[in-house]
Amino acid sequence: MATTVRRTVLTLPAAPLGPPNPLPALRPLDEMHSIDERTKRELPREMARQIGYEPLRTLLPVRVLDGYGRERTETGLDAIVIENDWLRATVLPSLGGRIHSLHHKPTGRELLYRNPVFQPADFALNGAWFSGGIEWNIGATGHTTLSCAPLHAAIVPAPDGGEMVRLWEWERLRDLPFQVDLWLPADSGFLHVGVRIRNPHERPAPVYWWSNIAVEEHETTRVLAPAEEAWHFGYERNLRRVAVPDFRGADRTYPLRSEYPADYFYEVPAEARKWIASLDADGHGLVQTSTDVLRGRKLFLWGSGRGGRRWQEWLTEPGTRGYAEIQAGLARTQLEHLRLDGGGEFSWLESYGPLAADPAAVHGDDWAAARAEVEGRLSEALPRAAVDTAYEAWRPCADTEPGERLATGSGWGALEVLRGGHKLPGTPFDESTLGAEQAPWRELLTTGVFPAPRRVVPPGPSLVSPHWRDMLETAPAEPLTEYHLGVAQWHAGDLAQAVRSWERGLGLAPSRWPLLRCLAVADQEGGHASRAAERYLDAFDDLCQERRDDGEIWTSATAALGREAIDALLAVHRTADARAVWDRLRPGVQQRGRFRLLDAQLLIAEGRTDEARAVFDAGFEVADLREGAEVLGEVWSQLTDEPLPDAYDYRMRPRTP
């Protein structure tokens, strides 16, 4: 059959995402992938430089997604299917362009780990993320802020004259447009993926990219890559060079032979072909290869310990087979960012397909022979030169204007193109995509004035890049303008000026709580915990007086600010005030797992440990438990010396002595 592209609806048990957190993300969420300075000094110079290059100071202008729960209902998700005689790829454009499934038709095998549910969890840079399939990670160390966001999608002519699916969007952390082109040549068993990241600005930009591929794991699953060494990251803030495959007495290329979660960033020689494969006991599985620009390869494993198993259940449903991730990136490790000069671009081609190799060689004790067997079979199925040829054939097509639109992303790219006049062939950001969130910023752009809201609502999202900051500085100094200006100054590292802007706005602001909350965060960062607690209390009081209804946006604002206020008040032992904040939360918010945990912490501070223990015994689920978080164990240890129950055990590293 000729390659076809069609739209469909994929029905899965799904938890709703909920509204974004309306509080500006002045600080990044906890990120497990960081190392201490001593470790950094011992790394190769290039790696150390790229690890230190432009780490995130904030998540701005992106908002945190933490409004999801754990209750799932059958939900239809828009999907795009690309199919030929060999493969059927199912793509979810509304969820970051994730490839949900890659089905090998001749054998009926699923080549990926296909999650049977959609369950957000707190793994992305901005919170909500879900497991399974192939995801496109752009932005900064961690899972992209676009994990659960819509991308633009359209049909474009493919290099072989057939149809190709283009996904594109404006990545807002680094202010860069990117595209992902997916096509299946009519006679090919490999899905080709062309990727391009462009920097339309005059200034250089830090770039991060990792393609994360979830594959099913069995006791006999083995991951192979062309390397004899790897950089091991065990969630203990260090990075060490280790031998492959054996490390600490076990062959770590089998994901279930580790107890705790770990990353292995393979040291692939510069001249070697870039590939990674996951094969089962029979030597069958998935292989990914690429042009040489995508130099990095990685194995992430959950391990066989209690914490890793619990996370696996949490991300899907009990009884589902576990998974590991094989990955490919621009740098050697995910702790690094690369410099992209103004006007420049990175582009490359990836290919995904089935592989069958001799199981005796794949699972033999000779690591060199196992690698050679896989590379030989890959060369037969898809020669290295064929990948380079496919890239060269695709590259002129990258500028082709999209045809039939299949999905619509955000309006932020359209706003940036309108402001900067950028010419981006192949990735149009149409003015028709501008929406309510972009409207006040478009007015600022055209009139020089940031408009006052027509009704009392929490402030909309802030923009923070230099050109928007400049416009806010020259706009009339109204309270809402000062609020957004302070957020932009904070993002730029000008903390003192941000505080001055917020304080100026506070004097005349009809809505004081957004400014007070920003000042409270500034106090915390400055080491003024008591003043921060007082400002949080004032902010929460003001919000409760201003709150207009029990609608989604006000409930989200109250929950987010109340949670931060309680934490700040408990930090300075103002337990009674913290309880007063708790008592003013809506009953539905109090029953959420995150707030049941917060109640247990309050009860401990009040000396009511028996009641706190009863909270744990009754059971609760913290829907937005952060990857690597150990708070459940920490609170439990304040109540008892008993072992942490399995239901609360999410530990990703050995217990600290």
Side-chain angles (χ1 to χ4, degrees), residues 49-116:
R49 183 179 69 251
Q50 292 180 167
I51 288 174
Y53 178 47
E54 294 290 340
L56 289 182
R57 288 190 297 268
T58 77
L59 285 176
L60 297 165
V62 176
R63 291 193 149 184
V64 172
L65 294 175
D66 59 5
Y68 50 86
R70 300 282 302 169
E71 293 184 8
R72 298 188 286 265
T73 58
E74 291 294 315
T75 304
L77 303 174
D78 289 336
I80 301 168
V81 174
I82 312 167
E83 186 171 9
N84 67 5
D85 283 332
W86 298 88
L87 292 174
R88 182 170 60 247
T90 304
V91 183
L92 303 177
S94 64
L95 294 170
R98 182 80 59 101
I99 297 181
H100 174 72
S101 167
L102 189 60
H103 179 79
H104 186 230
K105 295 167 68 174
T107 62
R109 299 169 66 93
E110 173 60 48
L111 300 180
L112 304 174
Y113 166 72
R114 184 177 55 194
N115 198 332

Side-chain angles (χ1 to χ4, degrees), residues 21-23 66 513 517 520 524 532-533 535-544 547 553-571 574-575 577-586 589-590 592 594-595 598-599 601-602:
N21 187 322
L23 307 184
D66 59 5
W513 66 267
R517 183 265 177 175
Q524 288 178 320
R535 276 180 160 155
Y536 264 122
L537 190 58
D538 288 346
F540 190 77
D541 287 342
D542 188 69
L543 171 59
C544 289
R547 186 171 57 194
I553 189 170
W554 285 109
T555 298
S556 177
T558 307
L561 185 59
R563 175 178 164 184
E564 289 187 11
I566 291 171
D567 284 339
L569 290 161
L570 284 177
R574 293 178 60 173
T575 307
D577 287 328
R579 176 59 72 183
V581 171
W582 164 268
D583 288 340
R584 296 168 78 180
L585 296 172
R586 300 299 194 196
V589 171
Q590 292 177 340
R592 296 177 188 174
R594 169 62 64 180
F595 289 87
L598 202 53
D599 187 29
Q601 293 172 287
L602 270 168

Side-chain angles (χ1 to χ4, degrees), residues 464-486:
V464 297
S465 52
H467 38 265
W468 292 110
R469 187 172 72 246
D470 291 344
M471 279 186 269
L472 289 167
E473 287 175 345
T474 58
E478 298 298 328
L480 185 57
T481 306
E482 296 286 9
Y483 162 81
H484 286 299
L485 175 58

Side-chain angles (χ1 to χ4, degrees), residues 115-344:
N115 198 332
V117 304
F118 171 70
Q119 176 56 63
D122 194 2
F123 277 59
L125 287 163
N126 65 328
W129 172 86
F130 65 106
S131 66
I134 305 174
E135 59 175 315
W136 319 111
N137 285 297
I138 182 173
T141 297
H143 293 283
T144 178
T145 61
L146 296 166
S147 292
C148 294
L151 302 190
H152 301 283
I155 294 177
V156 181
D160 63 353
E163 291 185 329
M164 176 167 69
V165 172
R166 173 162 301 156
L167 307 166
W168 73 98
E169 191 42 284
W170 197 281
E171 200 288 311
R172 302 179 66 213
L173 289 180
R174 303 306 194 182
D175 209 16
L176 302 175
F178 73 99
Q179 70 189 79
V180 177
D181 288 354
L182 310 167
W183 82 99
L184 280 169
D187 58 349
S188 176
F190 280 80
L191 173 70
H192 290 325
V193 181
V195 183
R196 177 166 63 167
I197 304 170
R198 288 184 276 192
N199 182 2
H201 311 293
E202 294 181 357
R203 64 184 186 277
V207 170
Y208 173 96
W209 182 279
W210 281 81
S211 302
N212 288 13
I213 309 134
V215 290
E216 284 196 358
E217 63 176 6
H218 310 256
E219 291 291 342
T220 55
T221 297
R222 193 176 204 188
V223 172
L224 302 98
E228 295 181 353
E229 291 183 311
W231 294 92
H232 170 265
F233 182 82
Y235 298 86
E236 298 170 278
R237 301 200 182 278
N238 58 44
L239 195 63
R240 62 169 65 90
R241 192 192 294 260
V242 301
V244 177
D246 295 316
F247 172 52
R248 290 180 175 170
D251 186 333
R252 306 298 178 173
T253 61
Y254 291 89
L256 288 175
R257 294 186 185 177
S258 293
E259 182 178 2
Y260 290 97
D263 297 327
Y264 290 90
F265 300 102
Y266 294 113
E267 189 67 42
V268 179
E271 70 281 0
R273 183 177 185 180
K274 308 303 185 288
W275 59 268
I276 190 167
S278 173
L279 304 179
D280 63 16
D282 297 325
H284 292 94
L286 173 80
V287 65
Q288 186 269 5
T289 187
S290 71
T291 49
D292 288 352
V293 167
L294 204 67
R295 65 176 294 188
R297 292 298 185 275
K298 172 195 163 183
L299 163 64
F300 166 75
L301 53 87
W302 281 110
S304 58
R306 289 173 61 195
R309 294 299 94 193
R310 183 70 182 109
W311 273 118
Q312 297 255 33
E313 295 174 354
W314 182 253
L315 295 170
T316 177
E317 58 184 4
T320 305
R321 188 177 295 281
Y323 74 97
E325 288 179 359
I326 57 176
Q327 306 182 12
L330 285 173
R332 281 186 289 187
T333 73
Q334 287 175 330
L335 286 71
E336 302 169 69
H337 301 93
L338 276 59
R339 175 186 168 113
L340 179 58
D341 290 330

Side-chain angles (χ1 to χ4, degrees), residues 4 8 69 86 127 209 237 239 255 257 263 308 317 348 358 367 388 396 411 445 465 497 533 610 618:
T4 62
T8 188
W86 298 88
W209 182 279
R237 301 200 182 278
L239 195 63
R257 294 186 185 177
D263 297 327
E317 58 184 4
W348 64 91
D358 177 8
W367 174 240
D388 294 334
L445 180 64
S465 52
Q497 189 59 53
D610 288 346

Side-chain angles (χ1 to χ4, degrees), residues 363-432:
H363 297 284
D365 294 332
D366 188 333
W367 174 240
R371 295 188 341 251
E373 167 64 14
V374 174
E375 185 148 357
R377 299 289 182 150
L378 173 59
S379 295
E380 294 171 4
L382 185 67
R384 185 175 188 176
V387 176
D388 294 334
T389 299
Y391 170 74
E392 295 300 331
W394 163 73
R395 190 61 190 80
C397 300
D399 285 345
T400 303
E401 290 304 305
E404 179 188 351
R405 301 302 172 93
L406 303 174
T408 303
S410 78
W412 295 113
L415 184 66
E416 291 302 328
V417 168
L418 190 64
R419 183 210 60 80
H422 305 301
K423 305 300 182 185
L424 299 167
T427 54
F429 293 94
D430 302 328
E431 284 193 43
S432 62

